[in-house]
PDB file of all heavy atoms in Angstrom:
ATOM      1  N   ARG Z  61      -4.196  -4.125  11.099  1.00 97.00           N
ATOM      2  CA  ARG Z  61      -3.807  -3.603  12.423  1.00 97.00           C
ATOM      3  C   ARG Z  61      -4.168  -4.565  13.539  1.00 97.00           C
ATOM      4  O   ARG Z  61      -3.396  -4.770  14.468  1.00 97.00           O
ATOM      5  CB  ARG Z  61      -4.464  -2.240  12.680  1.00 97.00           C
ATOM      6  CG  ARG Z  61      -3.862  -1.116  11.901  1.00 97.00           C
ATOM      7  CD  ARG Z  61      -4.282   0.280  12.353  1.00 97.00           C
ATOM      8  NE  ARG Z  61      -5.587   0.426  12.945  1.00 97.00           N
ATOM      9  CZ  ARG Z  61      -5.821   0.558  14.269  1.00 97.00           C
ATOM     10  NH1 ARG Z  61      -4.844   0.546  15.137  1.00 97.00           N
ATOM     11  NH2 ARG Z  61      -7.059   0.717  14.707  1.00 97.00           N
ATOM     12  N   TYR Z  62      -5.358  -5.167  13.465  1.00 97.00           N
ATOM     13  CA  TYR Z  62      -5.802  -6.103  14.492  1.00 97.00           C
ATOM     14  C   TYR Z  62      -4.872  -7.315  14.546  1.00 97.00           C
ATOM     15  O   TYR Z  62      -4.442  -7.730  15.625  1.00 97.00           O
ATOM     16  CB  TYR Z  62      -7.235  -6.548  14.198  1.00 97.00           C
ATOM     17  CG  TYR Z  62      -7.783  -7.534  15.202  1.00 97.00           C
ATOM     18  CD1 TYR Z  62      -8.368  -7.091  16.388  1.00 97.00           C
ATOM     19  CD2 TYR Z  62      -7.725  -8.907  14.978  1.00 97.00           C
ATOM     20  CE1 TYR Z  62      -8.870  -7.989  17.316  1.00 97.00           C
ATOM     21  CE2 TYR Z  62      -8.227  -9.808  15.896  1.00 97.00           C
ATOM     22  CZ  TYR Z  62      -8.798  -9.344  17.064  1.00 97.00           C
ATOM     23  OH  TYR Z  62      -9.293 -10.232  17.981  1.00 97.00           O
ATOM     24  N   MET Z  63      -4.585  -7.887  13.391  1.00 97.00           N
ATOM     25  CA  MET Z  63      -3.726  -9.068  13.349  1.00 97.00           C
ATOM     26  C   MET Z  63      -2.346  -8.757  13.932  1.00 97.00           C
ATOM     27  O   MET Z  63      -1.796  -9.552  14.696  1.00 97.00           O
ATOM     28  CB  MET Z  63      -3.614  -9.606  11.924  1.00 97.00           C
ATOM     29  CG  MET Z  63      -4.929 -10.099  11.333  1.00 97.00           C
ATOM     30  SD  MET Z  63      -5.712 -11.455  12.242  1.00 97.00           S
ATOM     31  CE  MET Z  63      -4.695 -12.835  11.691  1.00 97.00           C
ATOM     32  N   GLU Z  64      -1.807  -7.615  13.599  1.00 97.00           N
ATOM     33  CA  GLU Z  64      -0.505  -7.227  14.143  1.00 97.00           C
ATOM     34  C   GLU Z  64      -0.604  -6.997  15.646  1.00 97.00           C
ATOM     35  O   GLU Z  64       0.234  -7.469  16.414  1.00 97.00           O
ATOM     36  CB  GLU Z  64      -0.004  -5.961  13.453  1.00 97.00           C
ATOM     37  CG  GLU Z  64       1.364  -5.517  13.928  1.00 97.00           C
ATOM     38  CD  GLU Z  64       1.846  -4.279  13.191  1.00 97.00           C
ATOM     39  OE1 GLU Z  64       1.751  -4.241  11.958  1.00 97.00           O
ATOM     40  OE2 GLU Z  64       2.320  -3.346  13.881  1.00 97.00           O
ATOM     41  N   PHE Z  65      -1.632  -6.287  16.088  1.00 97.00           N
ATOM     42  CA  PHE Z  65      -1.797  -5.971  17.509  1.00 97.00           C
ATOM     43  C   PHE Z  65      -1.927  -7.238  18.346  1.00 97.00           C
ATOM     44  O   PHE Z  65      -1.276  -7.390  19.378  1.00 97.00           O
ATOM     45  CB  PHE Z  65      -3.039  -5.090  17.704  1.00 97.00           C
ATOM     46  CG  PHE Z  65      -3.269  -4.647  19.126  1.00 97.00           C
ATOM     47  CD1 PHE Z  65      -2.769  -3.437  19.575  1.00 97.00           C
ATOM     48  CD2 PHE Z  65      -3.996  -5.439  20.009  1.00 97.00           C
ATOM     49  CE1 PHE Z  65      -2.979  -3.023  20.878  1.00 97.00           C
ATOM     50  CE2 PHE Z  65      -4.212  -5.036  21.320  1.00 97.00           C
ATOM     51  CZ  PHE Z  65      -3.703  -3.826  21.754  1.00 97.00           C
ATOM     52  N   VAL Z  66      -2.774  -8.151  17.912  1.00 97.00           N
ATOM     53  CA  VAL Z  66      -3.064  -9.342  18.712  1.00 97.00           C
ATOM     54  C   VAL Z  66      -1.937 -10.373  18.631  1.00 97.00           C
ATOM     55  O   VAL Z  66      -1.560 -10.962  19.648  1.00 97.00           O
ATOM     56  CB  VAL Z  66      -4.412  -9.975  18.310  1.00 97.00           C
ATOM     57  CG1 VAL Z  66      -4.628 -11.321  18.989  1.00 97.00           C
ATOM     58  CG2 VAL Z  66      -5.559  -9.026  18.638  1.00 97.00           C
ATOM     59  N   PHE Z  67      -1.368 -10.581  17.456  1.00 96.00           N
ATOM     60  CA  PHE Z  67      -0.475 -11.710  17.268  1.00 96.00           C
ATOM     61  C   PHE Z  67       1.011 -11.380  17.317  1.00 96.00           C
ATOM     62  O   PHE Z  67       1.824 -12.288  17.438  1.00 96.00           O
ATOM     63  CB  PHE Z  67      -0.824 -12.443  15.968  1.00 96.00           C
ATOM     64  CG  PHE Z  67      -2.207 -13.019  16.028  1.00 96.00           C
ATOM     65  CD1 PHE Z  67      -3.238 -12.409  15.332  1.00 96.00           C
ATOM     66  CD2 PHE Z  67      -2.495 -14.113  16.809  1.00 96.00           C
ATOM     67  CE1 PHE Z  67      -4.530 -12.915  15.396  1.00 96.00           C
ATOM     68  CE2 PHE Z  67      -3.775 -14.621  16.894  1.00 96.00           C
ATOM     69  CZ  PHE Z  67      -4.803 -14.024  16.187  1.00 96.00           C
ATOM     70  N   ASP Z  68       1.366 -10.102  17.245  1.00 94.00           N
ATOM     71  CA  ASP Z  68       2.768  -9.728  17.318  1.00 94.00           C
ATOM     72  C   ASP Z  68       3.329 -10.160  18.678  1.00 94.00           C
ATOM     73  O   ASP Z  68       2.747  -9.874  19.714  1.00 94.00           O
ATOM     74  CB  ASP Z  68       2.928  -8.217  17.121  1.00 94.00           C
ATOM     75  CG  ASP Z  68       4.362  -7.806  16.934  1.00 94.00           C
ATOM     76  OD1 ASP Z  68       5.098  -8.528  16.250  1.00 94.00           O
ATOM     77  OD2 ASP Z  68       4.759  -6.751  17.490  1.00 94.00           O
ATOM     78  N   GLN Z  69       4.389 -10.878  18.670  1.00 92.00           N
ATOM     79  CA  GLN Z  69       5.105 -11.356  19.849  1.00 92.00           C
ATOM     80  C   GLN Z  69       4.393 -12.456  20.624  1.00 92.00           C
ATOM     81  O   GLN Z  69       4.787 -12.783  21.738  1.00 92.00           O
ATOM     82  CB  GLN Z  69       5.467 -10.181  20.767  1.00 92.00           C
ATOM     83  CG  GLN Z  69       6.329  -9.154  20.065  1.00 92.00           C
ATOM     84  CD  GLN Z  69       6.837  -8.077  20.991  1.00 92.00           C
ATOM     85  OE1 GLN Z  69       6.758  -8.172  22.200  1.00 92.00           O
ATOM     86  NE2 GLN Z  69       7.375  -7.028  20.410  1.00 92.00           N
ATOM     87  N   ALA Z  70       3.350 -13.039  20.060  1.00 93.00           N
ATOM     88  CA  ALA Z  70       2.646 -14.118  20.760  1.00 93.00           C
ATOM     89  C   ALA Z  70       3.540 -15.339  20.961  1.00 93.00           C
ATOM     90  O   ALA Z  70       3.460 -16.001  21.996  1.00 93.00           O
ATOM     91  CB  ALA Z  70       1.382 -14.512  19.995  1.00 93.00           C
ATOM     92  N   GLU Z  71       4.390 -15.604  20.000  1.00 89.00           N
ATOM     93  CA  GLU Z  71       5.264 -16.772  20.110  1.00 89.00           C
ATOM     94  C   GLU Z  71       6.282 -16.623  21.230  1.00 89.00           C
ATOM     95  O   GLU Z  71       6.790 -17.620  21.733  1.00 89.00           O
ATOM     96  CB  GLU Z  71       5.959 -17.039  18.784  1.00 89.00           C
ATOM     97  CG  GLU Z  71       4.992 -17.501  17.713  1.00 89.00           C
ATOM     98  CD  GLU Z  71       5.656 -17.770  16.380  1.00 89.00           C
ATOM     99  OE1 GLU Z  71       6.898 -17.784  16.316  1.00 89.00           O
ATOM    100  OE2 GLU Z  71       4.928 -17.975  15.398  1.00 89.00           O
ATOM    101  N   ALA Z  72       6.567 -15.403  21.631  1.00 90.00           N
ATOM    102  CA  ALA Z  72       7.547 -15.158  22.696  1.00 90.00           C
ATOM    103  C   ALA Z  72       6.879 -14.960  24.064  1.00 90.00           C
ATOM    104  O   ALA Z  72       7.554 -14.638  25.030  1.00 90.00           O
ATOM    105  CB  ALA Z  72       8.381 -13.924  22.344  1.00 90.00           C
ATOM    106  N   ALA Z  73       5.582 -15.177  24.159  1.00 88.00           N
ATOM    107  CA  ALA Z  73       4.860 -14.950  25.415  1.00 88.00           C
ATOM    108  C   ALA Z  73       5.393 -15.872  26.508  1.00 88.00           C
ATOM    109  O   ALA Z  73       5.693 -17.032  26.260  1.00 88.00           O
ATOM    110  CB  ALA Z  73       3.369 -15.194  25.206  1.00 88.00           C
ATOM    111  N   ASP Z  74       5.503 -15.322  27.708  1.00 89.00           N
ATOM    112  CA  ASP Z  74       5.979 -16.131  28.831  1.00 89.00           C
ATOM    113  C   ASP Z  74       4.813 -16.563  29.738  1.00 89.00           C
ATOM    114  O   ASP Z  74       4.976 -16.786  30.924  1.00 89.00           O
ATOM    115  CB  ASP Z  74       7.040 -15.373  29.631  1.00 89.00           C
ATOM    116  CG  ASP Z  74       6.553 -14.034  30.142  1.00 89.00           C
ATOM    117  OD1 ASP Z  74       5.415 -13.649  29.845  1.00 89.00           O
ATOM    118  OD2 ASP Z  74       7.336 -13.367  30.858  1.00 89.00           O
ATOM    119  N   GLU Z  75       3.653 -16.677  29.154  1.00 92.00           N
ATOM    120  CA  GLU Z  75       2.456 -17.177  29.826  1.00 92.00           C
ATOM    121  C   GLU Z  75       1.742 -18.081  28.831  1.00 92.00           C
ATOM    122  O   GLU Z  75       2.122 -18.122  27.661  1.00 92.00           O
ATOM    123  CB  GLU Z  75       1.556 -16.007  30.236  1.00 92.00           C
ATOM    124  CG  GLU Z  75       1.049 -15.181  29.052  1.00 92.00           C
ATOM    125  CD  GLU Z  75       0.202 -13.990  29.474  1.00 92.00           C
ATOM    126  OE1 GLU Z  75      -0.793 -14.188  30.186  1.00 92.00           O
ATOM    127  OE2 GLU Z  75       0.553 -12.866  29.093  1.00 92.00           O
TER     128      GLU Z  75
END
Side-chain angles (χ1 to χ4, degrees):
R61 286 193 331 103
Y62 179 85
M63 297 300 283
E64 182 178 313
F65 183 93
V66 172
F67 297 105
D68 191 40
Q69 301 187 13
E71 292 180 10
D74 57 357
E75 62 182 304

